[in-house]
Amino acid sequence: MKIALWYLAAITIVTFCVCGWDKYAAQRQLRRVPEKILFLLSAIGGSVGMYAGMLTFRHKTQHWYFKFGIPAIIVAQAAAVMLVLRWVQFPLK
């Protein structure tokens, strides 16, 4: 359980930083982070970091697929965690 929490903390921080870097690169016309990488980082556990980055850096907030996609990933991940925790508490017989 501790490993999972450390992983989530690390991927959240990494995703937040990548979002910040992409905003920095966008402002200076540098090489950008592909959107599929941002979604991949979100899907593997960094969705909260991506959402925090969107709000903090005002980045990707005009794209409907980020505006609705990232919160949808957060909801799906929260539902998956609740299902796993319920299954651990009450395993199938």
Side-chain angles (χ1 to χ4, degrees):
M1 187 65 139
K2 285 184 182 181
I3 293 172
L5 292 175
W6 279 106
Y7 169 78
L8 283 176
I11 195 69
T12 297
I13 292 167
V14 166
T15 306
F16 180 82
C17 292
V18 169
C19 183
W21 168 257
D22 191 47
K23 177 66 175 194
Y24 176 84
Q27 291 172 334
R28 287 160 182 78
Q29 298 172 342
L30 300 173
R31 186 175 179 151
R32 302 284 304 278
V33 178
E35 290 180 347
K36 62 183 173 184
I37 297 297
L38 295 174
F39 268 108
L40 176 65
L41 288 170
S42 298
I44 63 171
S47 55
V48 173
M50 183 63 198
Y51 193 68
M54 287 171 60
L55 297 176
T56 302
F57 305 118
R58 294 189 193 135
H59 190 51
K60 300 290 186 188
T61 57
Q62 297 301 310
H63 299 278
W64 68 268
Y65 42 90
F66 278 92
K67 193 177 200 177
F68 299 108
I70 299 303
I73 291 172
I74 292 171
V75 169
Q77 288 173 341
V81 166
M82 291 193 319
L83 284 173
V84 168
L85 290 176
R86 183 178 169 103
W87 181 73
V88 168
Q89 190 176 4
F90 303 107
L92 298 174
K93 294 180 183 180

Coordinates of all heavy atoms in Angstrom, one line a residue:
M1 N 0.8 -1.2 0.0 CA 0.0 0.0 0.0 C 0.9 1.3 0.0 O 0.6 2.2 -0.7 CB -0.9 0.0 1.2 CG -1.9 1.1 1.2 SD -3.1 0.9 -0.2 CE -4.6 1.4 0.6
K2 N 2.0 1.2 0.8 CA 2.8 2.4 0.8 C 3.5 2.6 -0.6 O 3.7 3.8 -1.0 CB 3.9 2.2 1.9 CG 3.4 2.4 3.3 CD 4.6 2.3 4.2 CE 4.1 2.4 5.7 NZ 5.2 2.4 6.6
I3 N 3.8 1.6 -1.2 CA 4.4 1.7 -2.6 C 3.5 2.4 -3.5 O 3.9 3.2 -4.3 CB 4.9 0.3 -3.1 CG1 6.0 -0.2 -2.2 CG2 5.3 0.4 -4.6 CD1 6.4 -1.6 -2.5
A4 N 2.2 2.0 -3.5 CA 1.2 2.6 -4.3 C 1.1 4.1 -4.0 O 0.9 4.9 -5.0 CB -0.1 1.9 -4.2
L5 N 1.1 4.4 -2.8 CA 0.9 5.9 -2.4 C 2.2 6.7 -2.9 O 2.0 7.8 -3.4 CB 0.7 6.0 -0.9 CG -0.6 5.5 -0.4 CD1 -0.7 5.6 1.1 CD2 -1.8 6.3 -1.1
W6 N 3.4 6.1 -2.7 CA 4.6 6.8 -3.2 C 4.6 6.9 -4.7 O 5.0 7.9 -5.2 CB 5.8 6.0 -2.8 CG 6.2 6.3 -1.3 CD1 6.1 5.5 -0.2 CD2 6.8 7.5 -0.9 NE1 6.5 6.2 0.9 CE2 7.0 7.4 0.5 CE3 7.2 8.7 -1.5 CZ2 7.5 8.4 1.3 CZ3 7.7 9.7 -0.7 CH2 7.9 9.6 0.7
Y7 N 4.1 5.9 -5.4 CA 4.0 5.9 -6.9 C 3.0 7.0 -7.3 O 3.4 7.8 -8.2 CB 3.5 4.6 -7.4 CG 3.1 4.7 -8.9 CD1 4.1 4.7 -9.9 CD2 1.8 4.8 -9.3 CE1 3.8 4.8 -11.2 CE2 1.5 4.9 -10.6 CZ 2.5 4.9 -11.6 OH 2.2 5.1 -12.9
L8 N 1.9 7.1 -6.7 CA 0.9 8.1 -7.0 C 1.4 9.5 -6.7 O 1.2 10.4 -7.5 CB -0.4 7.9 -6.3 CG -1.3 6.8 -6.8 CD1 -2.5 6.6 -6.0 CD2 -1.7 7.1 -8.3
A9 N 2.1 9.7 -5.6 CA 2.7 11.0 -5.3 C 3.8 11.4 -6.4 O 3.8 12.5 -6.9 CB 3.3 11.0 -3.9
A10 N 4.6 10.4 -6.7 CA 5.7 10.7 -7.7 C 5.1 11.0 -9.1 O 5.5 12.0 -9.7 CB 6.6 9.5 -7.8
I11 N 4.1 10.2 -9.6 CA 3.6 10.4 -10.9 C 2.8 11.7 -11.0 O 2.7 12.4 -12.0 CB 2.8 9.2 -11.4 CG1 2.5 9.3 -12.9 CG2 1.5 9.0 -10.7 CD1 3.8 9.2 -13.8
T12 N 2.2 12.1 -9.8 CA 1.4 13.3 -9.8 C 2.4 14.5 -9.9 O 2.1 15.5 -10.7 CB 0.6 13.4 -8.5 OG1 -0.3 12.4 -8.5 CG2 -0.1 14.8 -8.3
I13 N 3.5 14.5 -9.2 CA 4.5 15.6 -9.2 C 5.1 15.6 -10.6 O 5.3 16.7 -11.2 CB 5.5 15.4 -8.1 CG1 4.9 15.6 -6.8 CG2 6.7 16.3 -8.3 CD1 5.8 15.2 -5.6
V14 N 5.5 14.5 -11.2 CA 6.1 14.5 -12.5 C 5.1 15.0 -13.6 O 5.5 15.9 -14.4 CB 6.5 13.0 -12.9 CG1 6.8 12.9 -14.4 CG2 7.7 12.6 -12.1
T15 N 3.8 14.6 -13.5 CA 2.9 15.1 -14.5 C 2.6 16.6 -14.3 O 2.5 17.4 -15.3 CB 1.5 14.4 -14.3 OG1 1.8 13.0 -14.4 CG2 0.5 14.8 -15.4
F16 N 2.6 17.1 -13.1 CA 2.5 18.6 -12.8 C 3.6 19.3 -13.5 O 3.5 20.3 -14.1 CB 2.4 18.8 -11.3 CG 2.2 20.3 -11.0 CD1 1.0 20.9 -11.0 CD2 3.3 21.0 -10.6 CE1 0.9 22.2 -10.6 CE2 3.2 22.3 -10.2 CZ 2.0 22.9 -10.2
C17 N 4.9 18.8 -13.2 CA 6.0 19.4 -13.8 C 6.1 19.4 -15.3 O 6.5 20.4 -16.0 CB 7.3 18.8 -13.2 SG 7.5 19.1 -11.4
V18 N 5.7 18.3 -15.9 CA 5.6 18.2 -17.4 C 4.6 19.2 -17.9 O 4.9 19.8 -19.0 CB 5.3 16.7 -17.8 CG1 5.0 16.7 -19.3 CG2 6.5 15.8 -17.4
C19 N 3.5 19.3 -17.3 CA 2.5 20.3 -17.7 C 3.1 21.7 -17.6 O 2.9 22.5 -18.6 CB 1.2 20.2 -16.8 SG -0.1 21.3 -17.3
G20 N 3.8 22.0 -16.6 CA 4.4 23.3 -16.4 C 5.5 23.5 -17.5 O 5.6 24.6 -18.1
W21 N 6.3 22.5 -17.8 CA 7.3 22.6 -18.8 C 6.6 22.9 -20.2 O 7.1 23.7 -21.0 CB 8.2 21.4 -18.9 CG 9.0 21.4 -20.2 CD1 8.8 20.7 -21.3 CD2 10.1 22.2 -20.4 NE1 9.7 21.0 -22.2 CE2 10.6 21.9 -21.7 CE3 10.8 23.2 -19.7 CZ2 11.7 22.6 -22.3 CZ3 11.9 23.8 -20.3 CH2 12.3 23.5 -21.5
D22 N 5.5 22.2 -20.5 CA 4.9 22.3 -21.8 C 4.4 23.8 -21.9 O 4.4 24.3 -23.0 CB 3.8 21.3 -21.9 CG 3.2 21.3 -23.4 OD1 4.0 21.2 -24.3 OD2 2.0 21.3 -23.5
K23 N 3.9 24.3 -20.9 CA 3.4 25.7 -20.9 C 4.6 26.7 -21.2 O 4.5 27.6 -22.0 CB 2.7 26.1 -19.6 CG 2.2 27.5 -19.5 CD 1.1 27.9 -20.5 CE 0.6 29.3 -20.3 NZ -0.6 29.5 -21.0
Y24 N 5.7 26.4 -20.5 CA 6.9 27.2 -20.7 C 7.4 27.1 -22.1 O 7.7 28.1 -22.8 CB 8.0 26.7 -19.7 CG 9.3 27.4 -19.9 CD1 9.6 28.6 -19.2 CD2 10.3 26.8 -20.6 CE1 10.8 29.2 -19.4 CE2 11.6 27.3 -20.8 CZ 11.8 28.5 -20.1 OH 13.0 29.1 -20.3
A25 N 7.4 25.9 -22.7 CA 7.8 25.7 -24.0 C 6.9 26.3 -25.0 O 7.3 26.9 -26.1 CB 7.9 24.2 -24.3
A26 N 5.6 26.3 -24.7 CA 4.6 26.9 -25.6 C 4.8 28.4 -25.7 O 4.7 29.0 -26.8 CB 3.2 26.6 -25.1
Q27 N 5.1 29.1 -24.6 CA 5.3 30.5 -24.5 C 6.6 30.9 -25.3 O 6.7 32.0 -25.8 CB 5.4 31.0 -23.1 CG 4.0 30.9 -22.4 CD 4.1 31.2 -20.9 OE1 5.2 31.0 -20.3 NE2 3.0 31.6 -20.3
R28 N 7.6 30.0 -25.3 CA 8.9 30.4 -25.9 C 9.1 29.7 -27.3 O 10.2 29.7 -27.8 CB 10.0 30.0 -24.9 CG 10.0 31.0 -23.8 CD 10.7 30.5 -22.6 NE 10.6 31.5 -21.5 CZ 9.6 31.7 -20.7 NH1 8.5 31.1 -20.9 NH2 9.6 32.6 -19.7
Q29 N 8.1 29.1 -27.8 CA 8.1 28.4 -29.1 C 9.2 27.3 -29.1 O 10.0 27.2 -30.1 CB 8.3 29.4 -30.2 CG 7.1 30.3 -30.3 CD 7.2 31.4 -31.2 OE1 8.3 31.8 -31.7 NE2 6.1 32.1 -31.6
L30 N 9.4 26.6 -28.0 CA 10.3 25.5 -28.0 C 9.6 24.2 -28.3 O 8.4 24.2 -28.5 CB 10.9 25.4 -26.6 CG 11.7 26.6 -26.1 CD1 12.1 26.5 -24.6 CD2 12.9 26.8 -26.9
R31 N 10.3 23.1 -28.3 CA 9.7 21.8 -28.6 C 8.7 21.5 -27.5 O 9.0 21.5 -26.3 CB 10.8 20.7 -28.7 CG 10.3 19.4 -29.1 CD 11.4 18.4 -29.3 NE 10.8 17.2 -29.7 CZ 11.4 16.3 -30.5 NH1 12.6 16.5 -30.9 NH2 10.8 15.2 -30.8
R32 N 7.5 21.1 -27.9 CA 6.4 20.8 -27.0 C 6.3 19.3 -26.6 O 6.8 18.5 -27.3 CB 5.1 21.2 -27.7 CG 5.0 22.6 -28.2 CD 4.8 23.6 -27.0 NE 3.6 23.3 -26.2 CZ 2.4 23.7 -26.6 NH1 2.2 24.4 -27.7 NH2 1.4 23.3 -25.8
V33 N 5.6 19.1 -25.5 CA 5.3 17.8 -25.1 C 4.0 17.3 -25.9 O 3.0 18.1 -25.8 CB 5.0 17.7 -23.6 CG1 4.6 16.3 -23.1 CG2 6.2 18.2 -22.8
P34 N 4.1 16.2 -26.6 CA 2.9 15.8 -27.3 C 1.7 15.6 -26.3 O 1.8 15.1 -25.2 CB 3.3 14.4 -27.9 CG 4.8 14.5 -28.0 CD 5.2 15.3 -26.8
E35 N 0.5 15.9 -26.8 CA -0.7 15.8 -26.0 C -1.0 14.3 -25.6 O -1.5 14.1 -24.5 CB -1.9 16.3 -26.8 CG -1.9 17.8 -26.9 CD -3.0 18.4 -27.6 OE1 -3.8 17.7 -28.3 OE2 -3.2 19.7 -27.5
K36 N -0.6 13.4 -26.4 CA -0.8 12.0 -26.1 C 0.1 11.6 -24.9 O -0.3 10.8 -24.1 CB -0.6 11.0 -27.2 CG 0.8 11.0 -27.8 CD 0.8 10.1 -29.0 CE 2.2 10.2 -29.8 NZ 2.2 9.4 -31.0
I37 N 1.2 12.2 -24.7 CA 2.1 12.0 -23.5 C 1.4 12.5 -22.3 O 1.4 11.9 -21.2 CB 3.5 12.6 -23.7 CG1 4.2 11.9 -24.9 CG2 4.3 12.5 -22.4 CD1 4.5 10.4 -24.7
L38 N 0.8 13.7 -22.4 CA 0.1 14.3 -21.3 C -1.0 13.4 -20.8 O -1.3 13.2 -19.6 CB -0.4 15.7 -21.6 CG 0.7 16.8 -21.9 CD1 0.1 18.1 -22.4 CD2 1.6 17.0 -20.7
F39 N -1.8 12.9 -21.8 CA -2.9 12.0 -21.5 C -2.4 10.7 -20.9 O -3.0 10.1 -20.0 CB -3.8 11.8 -22.7 CG -4.9 12.7 -22.8 CD1 -5.0 13.7 -23.7 CD2 -6.0 12.6 -21.9 CE1 -6.0 14.6 -23.8 CE2 -7.1 13.5 -22.0 CZ -7.1 14.5 -22.9
L40 N -1.3 10.2 -21.4 CA -0.7 8.9 -20.9 C -0.3 9.1 -19.5 O -0.6 8.2 -18.6 CB 0.5 8.5 -21.8 CG 1.2 7.2 -21.3 CD1 0.3 6.0 -21.4 CD2 2.5 7.0 -22.1
L41 N 0.4 10.2 -19.2 CA 0.8 10.5 -17.8 C -0.4 10.6 -16.9 O -0.4 10.1 -15.7 CB 1.6 11.7 -17.7 CG 3.1 11.6 -18.3 CD1 3.7 13.0 -18.3 CD2 3.9 10.7 -17.4
S42 N -1.5 11.2 -17.4 CA -2.7 11.3 -16.6 C -3.3 9.9 -16.4 O -3.8 9.6 -15.3 CB -3.7 12.2 -17.3 OG -3.2 13.5 -17.5
A43 N -3.3 9.1 -17.4 CA -4.0 7.8 -17.3 C -3.2 6.8 -16.4 O -3.9 5.9 -15.8 CB -4.1 7.2 -18.7
I44 N -1.9 7.0 -16.3 CA -1.2 6.0 -15.4 C -1.1 6.6 -14.0 O -0.3 6.0 -13.2 CB 0.2 5.7 -16.0 CG1 1.1 7.0 -16.1 CG2 0.1 5.0 -17.3 CD1 2.6 6.7 -16.4
G45 N -1.9 7.5 -13.6 CA -2.0 8.0 -12.3 C -1.7 9.4 -12.0 O -1.9 9.9 -10.9
G46 N -1.3 10.2 -13.0 CA -1.0 11.6 -12.8 C -2.1 12.6 -13.1 O -1.9 13.7 -13.3
S47 N -3.3 12.1 -13.1 CA -4.5 12.9 -13.5 C -4.7 14.1 -12.6 O -5.0 15.2 -13.0 CB -5.7 12.1 -13.6 OG -6.0 11.4 -12.4
V48 N -4.5 13.9 -11.3 CA -4.6 15.0 -10.4 C -3.5 16.1 -10.6 O -3.8 17.3 -10.6 CB -4.6 14.5 -8.9 CG1 -4.6 15.7 -7.9 CG2 -5.8 13.6 -8.7
G49 N -2.3 15.6 -10.9 CA -1.2 16.5 -11.2 C -1.5 17.3 -12.5 O -1.2 18.5 -12.6
M50 N -2.0 16.6 -13.5 CA -2.4 17.3 -14.7 C -3.4 18.3 -14.5 O -3.3 19.5 -15.0 CB -2.8 16.3 -15.8 CG -3.1 16.9 -17.1 SD -1.6 17.6 -17.8 CE -2.3 18.6 -19.1
Y51 N -4.5 18.0 -13.8 CA -5.5 18.9 -13.5 C -5.0 20.1 -12.7 O -5.4 21.3 -13.0 CB -6.7 18.3 -12.8 CG -8.0 19.1 -12.7 CD1 -8.7 19.3 -13.9 CD2 -8.4 19.6 -11.6 CE1 -9.8 20.1 -13.9 CE2 -9.6 20.4 -11.6 CZ -10.3 20.6 -12.7 OH -11.4 21.4 -12.7
A52 N -4.2 19.9 -11.7 CA -3.6 21.0 -10.9 C -2.7 21.8 -11.8 O -2.7 23.1 -11.7 CB -2.8 20.4 -9.8
G53 N -2.0 21.2 -12.7 CA -1.1 22.0 -13.7 C -2.0 22.8 -14.6 O -1.6 23.9 -15.0
M54 N -3.1 22.2 -15.1 CA -4.0 23.0 -15.9 C -4.5 24.3 -15.2 O -4.5 25.3 -15.8 CB -5.2 22.1 -16.4 CG -4.9 21.1 -17.3 SD -6.2 19.9 -17.6 CE -7.5 21.0 -18.2
L55 N -4.8 24.1 -14.0 CA -5.3 25.3 -13.2 C -4.2 26.2 -12.9 O -4.4 27.5 -13.0 CB -6.1 24.8 -12.0 CG -7.3 24.0 -12.2 CD1 -7.9 23.5 -10.9 CD2 -8.4 24.7 -13.0
T56 N -3.1 25.7 -12.4 CA -2.0 26.6 -12.0 C -1.4 27.4 -13.1 O -1.1 28.6 -13.0 CB -0.9 25.7 -11.3 OG1 -1.5 25.0 -10.2 CG2 0.3 26.5 -10.9
F57 N -1.1 26.6 -14.3 CA -0.4 27.3 -15.4 C -1.4 27.8 -16.4 O -0.9 28.4 -17.4 CB 0.6 26.3 -16.0 CG 1.5 25.7 -15.0 CD1 1.5 24.3 -14.8 CD2 2.4 26.5 -14.4 CE1 2.4 23.8 -13.9 CE2 3.3 26.0 -13.5 CZ 3.3 24.6 -13.2
R58 N -2.7 27.6 -16.2 CA -3.7 28.0 -17.2 C -3.3 27.4 -18.6 O -3.2 28.1 -19.6 CB -3.8 29.5 -17.3 CG -4.4 30.1 -16.1 CD -4.7 31.6 -16.3 NE -5.0 32.2 -15.0 CZ -4.5 33.4 -14.7 NH1 -3.7 34.0 -15.5 NH2 -4.7 33.9 -13.5
H59 N -3.1 26.1 -18.5 CA -2.6 25.4 -19.7 C -3.6 24.3 -20.2 O -4.1 23.5 -19.3 CB -1.2 24.8 -19.4 CG -0.5 24.2 -20.6 ND1 -0.3 24.9 -21.7 CD2 0.1 23.0 -20.8 CE1 0.4 24.2 -22.6 NE2 0.6 23.0 -22.0
K60 N -3.9 24.3 -21.4 CA -4.8 23.3 -22.0 C -6.2 23.4 -21.6 O -7.0 22.5 -21.7 CB -4.3 21.9 -21.8 CG -2.9 21.5 -22.3 CD -2.9 21.5 -23.8 CE -1.6 21.0 -24.3 NZ -1.5 21.2 -25.8
T61 N -6.6 24.6 -21.0 CA -7.9 24.7 -20.5 C -8.9 25.1 -21.6 O -10.1 25.0 -21.3 CB -7.9 25.8 -19.4 OG1 -7.4 27.0 -20.0 CG2 -7.1 25.5 -18.2
Q62 N -8.5 25.4 -22.8 CA -9.4 25.7 -23.8 C -9.7 24.5 -24.7 O -10.6 24.6 -25.6 CB -8.8 26.9 -24.7 CG -8.7 28.2 -23.9 CD -10.0 28.7 -23.3 OE1 -11.0 28.8 -24.0 NE2 -10.0 29.0 -22.1
H63 N -9.0 23.5 -24.5 CA -9.2 22.2 -25.3 C -10.2 21.4 -24.6 O -10.0 21.0 -23.5 CB -7.9 21.4 -25.4 CG -6.8 22.2 -26.2 ND1 -6.7 22.2 -27.5 CD2 -5.7 22.9 -25.7 CE1 -5.6 23.0 -27.9 NE2 -5.0 23.4 -26.8
W64 N -11.3 21.1 -25.3 CA -12.5 20.4 -24.7 C -12.0 19.0 -24.2 O -12.5 18.5 -23.2 CB -13.7 20.3 -25.6 CG -13.4 19.5 -26.8 CD1 -13.0 19.9 -28.1 CD2 -13.6 18.1 -26.9 NE1 -12.9 18.8 -28.9 CE2 -13.3 17.7 -28.2 CE3 -14.1 17.1 -26.0 CZ2 -13.4 16.4 -28.7 CZ3 -14.2 15.8 -26.5 CH2 -13.8 15.4 -27.8
Y65 N -11.1 18.4 -25.0 CA -10.7 17.0 -24.6 C -9.9 17.0 -23.3 O -9.8 16.0 -22.7 CB -10.0 16.3 -25.8 CG -9.1 17.1 -26.6 CD1 -7.7 17.2 -26.2 CD2 -9.5 17.8 -27.7 CE1 -6.8 17.9 -27.0 CE2 -8.6 18.6 -28.4 CZ -7.3 18.6 -28.1 OH -6.4 19.4 -28.8
F66 N -9.2 18.1 -23.0 CA -8.5 18.2 -21.7 C -9.5 18.7 -20.6 O -9.5 18.2 -19.5 CB -7.3 19.2 -21.8 CG -6.1 18.5 -22.3 CD1 -5.8 18.6 -23.7 CD2 -5.2 17.9 -21.5 CE1 -4.7 18.0 -24.2 CE2 -4.1 17.3 -22.0 CZ -3.8 17.3 -23.4
K67 N -10.3 19.7 -21.0 CA -11.3 20.3 -20.1 C -12.2 19.2 -19.5 O -12.6 19.3 -18.3 CB -12.1 21.3 -20.8 CG -12.9 22.2 -19.9 CD -13.5 23.3 -20.8 CE -13.9 24.5 -20.1 NZ -14.5 25.5 -21.0
F68 N -12.6 18.2 -20.3 CA -13.6 17.2 -19.8 C -12.9 15.9 -19.7 O -13.3 15.0 -18.8 CB -14.7 17.1 -20.8 CG -15.6 18.3 -20.9 CD1 -15.5 19.1 -22.1 CD2 -16.4 18.7 -19.9 CE1 -16.2 20.3 -22.2 CE2 -17.1 19.9 -20.0 CZ -17.0 20.7 -21.1
G69 N -11.8 15.6 -20.4 CA -11.1 14.3 -20.4 C -10.4 14.1 -19.1 O -10.4 13.0 -18.5
I70 N -9.7 15.1 -18.6 CA -8.9 14.9 -17.4 C -9.8 14.7 -16.2 O -9.6 13.7 -15.4 CB -7.9 16.1 -17.2 CG1 -6.9 16.2 -18.3 CG2 -7.2 15.9 -15.8 CD1 -6.1 14.9 -18.6
P71 N -10.9 15.5 -16.0 CA -11.8 15.2 -14.9 C -12.4 13.8 -15.0 O -12.6 13.1 -14.0 CB -12.8 16.3 -14.9 CG -12.1 17.4 -15.5 CD -11.2 16.8 -16.6
A72 N -12.7 13.4 -16.3 CA -13.3 12.0 -16.5 C -12.3 10.9 -16.1 O -12.7 9.9 -15.5 CB -13.7 11.9 -17.9
I73 N -11.0 11.1 -16.4 CA -10.0 10.2 -15.9 C -9.9 10.1 -14.4 O -9.8 9.1 -13.8 CB -8.6 10.5 -16.5 CG1 -8.6 10.3 -18.0 CG2 -7.5 9.7 -15.9 CD1 -7.4 10.8 -18.8
I74 N -10.0 11.3 -13.8 CA -10.0 11.3 -12.3 C -11.2 10.6 -11.7 O -11.0 9.8 -10.8 CB -10.0 12.8 -11.8 CG1 -8.7 13.5 -12.1 CG2 -10.2 12.9 -10.3 CD1 -8.7 15.0 -11.9
V75 N -12.3 10.7 -12.3 CA -13.5 10.0 -11.8 C -13.4 8.5 -12.0 O -13.7 7.7 -11.1 CB -14.8 10.6 -12.5 CG1 -16.0 9.7 -12.2 CG2 -15.1 12.0 -12.0
A76 N -12.9 8.1 -13.2 CA -12.7 6.7 -13.5 C -11.7 6.1 -12.5 O -11.9 5.0 -12.0 CB -12.3 6.5 -14.9
Q77 N -10.6 6.8 -12.3 CA -9.6 6.3 -11.3 C -10.1 6.2 -9.9 O -9.8 5.2 -9.2 CB -8.3 7.2 -11.4 CG -7.5 7.0 -12.7 CD -6.4 8.0 -12.9 OE1 -6.4 9.0 -12.2 NE2 -5.5 7.6 -13.8
A78 N -10.9 7.2 -9.5 CA -11.4 7.1 -8.1 C -12.4 5.9 -8.0 O -12.4 5.2 -7.0 CB -12.1 8.4 -7.8
A79 N -13.2 5.7 -9.1 CA -14.1 4.6 -9.0 C -13.4 3.3 -9.0 O -13.7 2.3 -8.3 CB -15.0 4.6 -10.3
A80 N -12.3 3.2 -9.8 CA -11.5 1.9 -9.8 C -10.8 1.7 -8.4 O -10.8 0.5 -7.9 CB -10.4 2.0 -10.8
V81 N -10.4 2.7 -7.8 CA -9.8 2.6 -6.4 C -10.8 2.1 -5.4 O -10.6 1.2 -4.6 CB -9.1 3.9 -5.9 CG1 -8.8 3.9 -4.5 CG2 -7.9 4.2 -6.8
M82 N -12.0 2.7 -5.5 CA -13.1 2.3 -4.6 C -13.5 0.9 -4.8 O -13.7 0.1 -3.9 CB -14.3 3.3 -4.7 CG -14.0 4.6 -4.2 SD -15.3 5.8 -3.9 CE -16.4 5.6 -5.3
L83 N -13.5 0.4 -6.1 CA -13.9 -1.0 -6.4 C -12.8 -1.9 -5.8 O -13.1 -3.0 -5.3 CB -14.0 -1.2 -7.9 CG -15.3 -0.7 -8.5 CD1 -15.3 -0.8 -10.0 CD2 -16.5 -1.4 -7.9
V84 N -11.5 -1.6 -6.0 CA -10.5 -2.4 -5.5 C -10.5 -2.5 -4.0 O -10.4 -3.5 -3.4 CB -9.1 -1.9 -6.0 CG1 -7.9 -2.5 -5.3 CG2 -9.0 -2.1 -7.5
L85 N -10.7 -1.3 -3.3 CA -10.7 -1.3 -1.9 C -11.9 -2.1 -1.4 O -11.8 -2.8 -0.4 CB -10.8 0.1 -1.3 CG -9.5 0.9 -1.5 CD1 -9.7 2.4 -1.0 CD2 -8.4 0.3 -0.8
R86 N -13.0 -2.0 -2.0 CA -14.2 -2.8 -1.6 C -13.9 -4.3 -1.8 O -14.3 -5.1 -1.0 CB -15.4 -2.4 -2.4 CG -16.7 -3.1 -2.0 CD -17.9 -2.6 -2.8 NE -19.0 -3.5 -2.6 CZ -20.0 -3.2 -1.8 NH1 -20.0 -2.1 -1.2 NH2 -21.0 -4.1 -1.7
W87 N -13.3 -4.7 -3.0 CA -13.0 -6.1 -3.2 C -12.0 -6.6 -2.2 O -12.1 -7.8 -1.8 CB -12.4 -6.2 -4.6 CG -12.0 -7.6 -5.0 CD1 -12.9 -8.6 -5.3 CD2 -10.7 -8.2 -5.0 NE1 -12.2 -9.8 -5.5 CE2 -10.9 -9.5 -5.4 CE3 -9.5 -7.7 -4.8 CZ2 -9.8 -10.4 -5.5 CZ3 -8.4 -8.5 -4.9 CH2 -8.6 -9.9 -5.3
V88 N -11.0 -5.8 -1.8 CA -10.1 -6.2 -0.8 C -10.8 -6.4 0.6 O -10.5 -7.4 1.3 CB -8.9 -5.2 -0.6 CG1 -8.1 -5.5 0.6 CG2 -8.1 -5.2 -1.9
Q89 N -11.7 -5.6 0.9 CA -12.5 -5.7 2.1 C -13.5 -6.8 2.1 O -13.6 -7.5 3.1 CB -13.2 -4.4 2.4 CG -13.8 -4.3 3.8 CD -14.5 -2.9 4.0 OE1 -14.5 -2.1 3.2 NE2 -14.9 -2.7 5.3
F90 N -14.1 -7.0 1.0 CA -15.1 -8.1 0.8 C -14.8 -8.9 -0.4 O -15.5 -8.8 -1.4 CB -16.5 -7.5 0.7 CG -16.9 -6.6 1.9 CD1 -17.0 -5.2 1.7 CD2 -17.2 -7.2 3.1 CE1 -17.4 -4.4 2.8 CE2 -17.6 -6.4 4.2 CZ -17.7 -5.0 4.0
P91 N -13.8 -9.8 -0.4 CA -13.5 -10.6 -1.6 C -14.6 -11.5 -2.0 O -15.4 -11.9 -1.2 CB -12.3 -11.4 -1.1 CG -12.3 -11.3 0.4 CD -13.0 -10.2 0.8
L92 N -14.6 -11.7 -3.3 CA -15.6 -12.6 -3.9 C -15.4 -14.0 -3.4 O -14.3 -14.5 -3.2 CB -15.6 -12.6 -5.4 CG -15.9 -11.2 -6.1 CD1 -15.6 -11.3 -7.6 CD2 -17.3 -10.8 -5.8
K93 N -16.5 -14.8 -3.2 CA -16.3 -16.1 -2.7 C -16.3 -17.1 -3.8 O -16.8 -17.0 -4.8 CB -17.4 -16.4 -1.7 CG -17.3 -15.6 -0.5 CD -18.4 -15.9 0.5 CE -18.3 -14.9 1.7 NZ -19.3 -15.1 2.7

